[in-house]
């Protein structure tokens, strides 16, 4: 599903060059649930941004679902993002003046899905995350955990090949974090491929594999016995 070969990324910082990713090699099979861990500055967010086509590597190869991701203009990158990827962010990134249903339907609007189908599909995914009754509510009327559920429903609505979650529990308390991970695990159980960037060890062990980054290289990549979040919910 994802294949990364010898990926390098540097940023110019004034007169200095910061070499963030130093030759990353990494594959993810369809249906995996992978945690990416590392301290601040290890390169995990940069890697996720490159996987999400929000940033471009300096060198190396990136193949997504058999498609080489290179030399994309912004329009083509946006099309591929819509087709292949769903994003879940720490800060939810919901639009404040739109209802839960409208937020979930938004990616489908950009994909030019007809209005009736947009509404039906958005409602289906809101129901999946247990928020059907809250469809008309604004983000300000929902709790943090509910907003993250709306964000997950939005990521799922376009039925992407891969979900990329950047610190999805970072803004939530422990109980709500486990509820969100329970939902992520259930989505993975349906066969969806999911990558979770986290700095929390307990969250990482709710995945099936943990990749540790340090100073821009992978120092460990291991399969783990998955802890089911439902045991804590």
């Amino acid at each position: 599903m994802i294949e990364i070969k010898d990926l390098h990324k540097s940023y110019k910082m004034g007169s200095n060059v910061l070499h963030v990713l130093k030759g990353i090699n990494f594959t993810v099979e369809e249906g995996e649930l992978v945690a990416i861990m590392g301290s601040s500055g290890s390169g995990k967010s940069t890697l996720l941004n490159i996987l999400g086509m929000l940033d471009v590597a300096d060198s190396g190869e990136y193949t997504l679902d058999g498609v080489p991701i290179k030399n994309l203009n912004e329009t083509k990158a946006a099309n591929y993002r819509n087709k292949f990827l769903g994003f879940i962010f720490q800060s939810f990134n919901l639009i404040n003046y739109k209802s839960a249903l409208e937020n979930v339907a938004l990616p489908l609007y950009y994909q030019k899905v007809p209005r009736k189908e947009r509404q039906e599909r958005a409602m289906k995914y809101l129901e999946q995350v247990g928020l059907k009754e809250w469809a008309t509510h604004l983000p300000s009327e929902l709790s943090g955990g509910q907003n993250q559920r709306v964000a997950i429903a939005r990521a799922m609505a376009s039925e992407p090949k891969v979900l990329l979650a950047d610190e999805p529990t970072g803004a939530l308390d422990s109980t709500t974090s486990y509820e969100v991970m329970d939902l992520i695990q259930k989505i993975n159980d349906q066969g969806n491929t999911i990558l979770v960037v986290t700095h929390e060890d307990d969250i990482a062990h709710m995945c099936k594999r943990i990749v540790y980054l340090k100073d821009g290289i992978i120092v460990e990549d291991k399969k783990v016995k998955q802890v089911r979040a439902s045991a804590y919910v």
Side-chain angles (χ1 to χ4, degrees):
M1 179 55 75
I2 290 173
E3 193 170 357
I4 293 279
K5 284 185 184 168
D6 198 26
L7 207 69
H8 288 261
K9 180 67 183 179
S10 300
Y11 295 102
K12 284 199 77 141
M13 313 281 280
S15 57
N16 298 323
V17 173
L18 186 65
H19 197 174
V20 182
L21 298 180
K22 303 169 183 171
I24 299 278
N25 292 288
F26 176 65
T27 57
V28 179
E29 301 297 329
E30 190 168 351
E32 282 201 90
L33 174 52
V34 183
I36 299 173
M37 291 196 80
S39 57
S40 184
S42 61
K44 58 187 190 299
S45 288
T46 301
L47 176 60
L48 202 74
N49 285 341
I50 290 170
L51 291 173
M53 296 179 236
L54 301 168
D55 203 349
V56 181
D58 299 333
S59 63
E61 295 174 21
Y62 170 24
T63 308
L64 175 60
D65 199 33
V67 178
I69 305 299
K70 60 179 181 183
N71 306 328
L72 301 182
N73 61 34
E74 187 43 52
T75 308
K76 204 164 187 184
N79 285 341
Y80 278 178
R81 273 197 297 272
N82 278 338
K83 182 178 170 186
F84 289 120
L85 302 169
F87 293 91
I88 305 164
F89 300 98
Q90 178 176 344
S91 54
F92 321 134
N93 287 16
L94 299 176
I95 295 174
N96 292 331
Y97 57 85
K98 287 191 180 291
S99 69
L101 187 72
E102 289 168 330
N103 267 290
V104 174
L106 203 59
L108 306 175
Y109 171 79
Y110 291 117
Q111 288 180 1
K112 301 188 168 48
V113 173
R115 188 164 193 271
K116 186 168 181 288
E117 190 187 330
R118 279 204 307 270
Q119 302 276 32
E120 285 171 0
R121 218 196 294 179
M123 188 58 89
K124 173 184 141 185
Y125 283 102
L126 269 182
E127 192 169 1
Q128 264 199 22
V129 301
L131 288 178
K132 187 180 179 183
E133 311 298 315
W134 299 83
T136 58
H137 288 249
L138 297 172
S140 60
E141 299 168 323
L142 303 174
S143 68
Q146 286 173 322
N147 277 321
Q148 192 58 293
R149 284 168 178 268
V150 173
I152 291 169
R154 179 187 58 191
M156 292 292 296
S158 52
E159 293 165 359
K161 304 267 187 185
V162 178
L163 277 177
L164 300 175
D166 192 0
E167 299 279 5
T169 60
L172 306 172
D173 62 64
S174 297
T175 305
T176 313
S177 294
Y178 296 152
E179 287 170 2
V180 165
M181 283 309 295
D182 182 44
L183 183 57
I184 285 173
Q185 287 178 339
K186 284 172 179 164
I187 293 167
N188 175 246
D189 291 342
Q190 294 167 10
N192 293 81
T193 308
I194 308 175
L195 275 71
V196 178
V197 164
T198 182
H199 64 276
E200 297 168 87
D201 201 56
D202 56 342
I203 298 298
H205 279 84
M206 290 177 181
C207 300
K208 296 172 180 171
R209 174 181 160 199
I210 306 177
V211 174
Y212 293 92
L213 280 179
K214 187 177 180 184
D215 299 330
I217 56 170
I218 292 174
V219 291
E220 191 177 12
D221 182 346
K222 63 178 186 182
K223 287 205 158 81
V224 292
K225 188 176 188 310
Q226 185 183 38
V227 176
R228 293 301 294 196
S230 55
Y232 298 94
V233 172

